[in-house]
């Protein structure tokens, strides 16, 4: 199996690039943000609980997120592999993913980080908010809080994967096609 973690701060382009990687390698794309938003739209219990955190730009608690991710992976028993977009976001989530994949006799192949500096992220997210109407993209305070959560809780995962020799980092600024090619190159690097 090819199991990829696409990593980066809010607005780094994970969603766009994940779709391309999914199609190129024939993977299942799992975006925790998309799953939470679908649940919010459908007014499920999970959606109601997640919404209270997402609206403030905070991470949804690990217990809820890990359970959700595991049940999504279990829906795809015949998959060639997965692209995880927006998961793991804490060390606890990364440890849970390792254990869960080990039980399935597989593992994370590589984690690829998209690097984009903060002011560019804020510009991109505010533009996306105008187009999509996503509430957490329309308020600069909430956006800054998400970036702060990323720096505090998610960025340490780079060392987690570096210690396993699975970490690759690429420049996330440039033409979309050019970034996709950088990603393919990083994924296929031995
Ligand atoms: P972005 O990467 O632009 O922040 P996402 O759609 O990935 O957008 O995430 C939106 C929100 O969903 C996050 O701000 C967070 O509240 C919640 N979320 C998504 N994935 C996770 C996760 N793995 N752990 C905790 N919260 C998450």
């Amino acid at each position: 199996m090819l199991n990829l973690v696409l990593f980066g701060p809010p607005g780094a382009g994970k969603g766009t690039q994940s779709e391309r990687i999914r199609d190129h390698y024939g993977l299942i794309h799992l975006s925790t943000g998309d799953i939470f938003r679908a649940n919010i739209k459908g007014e499920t219990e999970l959606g109601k609980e997640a919404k209270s955190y997402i609206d403030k730009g905070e991470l949804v608690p690990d217990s809820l997120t890990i359970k959700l991710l595991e049940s999504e992976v279990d829906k795809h028993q015949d998959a060639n592999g997965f692209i995880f977009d927006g998961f793991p976001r804490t060390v606890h989530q990364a440890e849970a993913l390792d254990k869960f994949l080990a039980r399935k006799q597989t593992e994370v192949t590589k984690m690829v980080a998209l690097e984009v500096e903060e002011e560019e992220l804020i510009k991109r997210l505010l533009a996306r908010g105008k187009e999509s109407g996503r509430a957490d993209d329309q308020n600069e305070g909430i956006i800054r809080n998400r970036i702060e959560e990323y720096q505090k809780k998610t960025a340490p995962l780079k060392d987690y994967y570096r210690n396993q020799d699975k970490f690759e980092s690429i420049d996330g600024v440039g033409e979309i096609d050019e970034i996709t090619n950088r990603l393919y190159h990083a994924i296929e690097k031995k």
Side-chain angles (χ1 to χ4, degrees), residues 2 24 42 44 68 72 74 94 124:
L2 179 65
H24 189 77
T44 67
L68 169 83
E72 289 295 322
D74 276 335
R124 288 186 186 180

Side-chain angles (χ1 to χ4, degrees), residues 126-171:
L126 286 170
R128 184 169 79 183
K130 273 198 196 127
E131 271 174 37
S132 71
R134 238 179 92 168
D136 62 342
D137 283 345
Q138 294 189 19
N139 175 304
E140 193 168 329
I142 296 173
I143 291 174
R144 288 201 186 267
N145 201 32
R146 283 156 64 199
I147 296 174
E148 210 171 288
E149 285 275 87
Y150 169 81
Q151 298 297 1
K152 213 165 51 195
K153 298 177 184 164
T154 308
L157 283 179
K158 291 183 186 177
D159 280 335
Y160 182 89
Y161 287 100
R162 213 177 258 131
N163 290 337
Q164 297 188 9
D165 264 335
K166 291 179 177 173
F167 175 77
E168 296 288 340
S169 163
I170 68 149
D171 182 0

Side-chain angles (χ1 to χ4, degrees), residues 63-185:
S63 52
L64 200 69
T65 308
I66 291 166
K67 244 190 283 161
L68 169 83
L69 192 278
E70 292 189 351
S71 79
E72 289 295 322
V73 171
D74 276 335
K75 284 183 192 164
H76 302 279
Q77 298 289 347
D78 299 328
N80 289 323
F82 292 88
I83 170 129
F84 298 103
D85 159 10
F87 184 95
R89 261 171 145 115
T90 63
V91 171
H92 189 93
Q93 290 179 16
E95 288 167 351
L97 180 63
D98 279 354
K99 280 195 206 130
F100 177 62
L101 292 178
R103 281 203 298 276
K104 296 183 164 298
Q105 261 95 54
T106 185
E107 61 179 346
V108 170
T109 314
K110 222 163 234 194
M111 182 262 228
V112 190
L114 286 167
E115 306 287 353
V116 179
E117 54 99 17
E118 180 160 342
E119 291 314 308
E120 169 72 15
L121 295 172
I122 292 169
K123 218 170 62 193
R124 288 186 186 180
L125 289 169
L126 286 170
R128 184 169 79 183
K130 273 198 196 127
E131 271 174 37
S132 71
R134 238 179 92 168
D136 62 342
D137 283 345
Q138 294 189 19
N139 175 304
E140 193 168 329
I142 296 173
I143 291 174
R144 288 201 186 267
N145 201 32
R146 283 156 64 199
I147 296 174
E148 210 171 288
E149 285 275 87
Y150 169 81
Q151 298 297 1
K152 213 165 51 195
K153 298 177 184 164
T154 308
L157 283 179
K158 291 183 186 177
D159 280 335
Y160 182 89
Y161 287 100
R162 213 177 258 131
N163 290 337
Q164 297 188 9
D165 264 335
K166 291 179 177 173
F167 175 77
E168 296 288 340
S169 163
I170 68 149
D171 182 0
V173 181
E175 294 291 327
I176 292 179
D177 282 345
E178 190 185 328
I179 296 167
T180 308
N181 282 324
R182 288 180 202 147
L183 282 167
Y184 293 160
H185 187 77

Side-chain angles (χ1 to χ4, degrees), residues 1-6 18-19 21-31 35 69 71-85:
M1 279 177 102
L2 179 65
N3 296 309
L4 302 170
V5 173
L6 189 59
S18 289
E19 288 175 10
I21 293 170
R22 172 198 64 199
D23 294 345
H24 189 77
Y25 296 103
L27 306 175
I28 301 286
H29 173 207
L30 291 184
S31 156
I35 299 165
L69 192 278
S71 79
E72 289 295 322
V73 171
D74 276 335
K75 284 183 192 164
H76 302 279
Q77 298 289 347
D78 299 328
N80 289 323
F82 292 88
I83 170 129
F84 298 103
D85 159 10

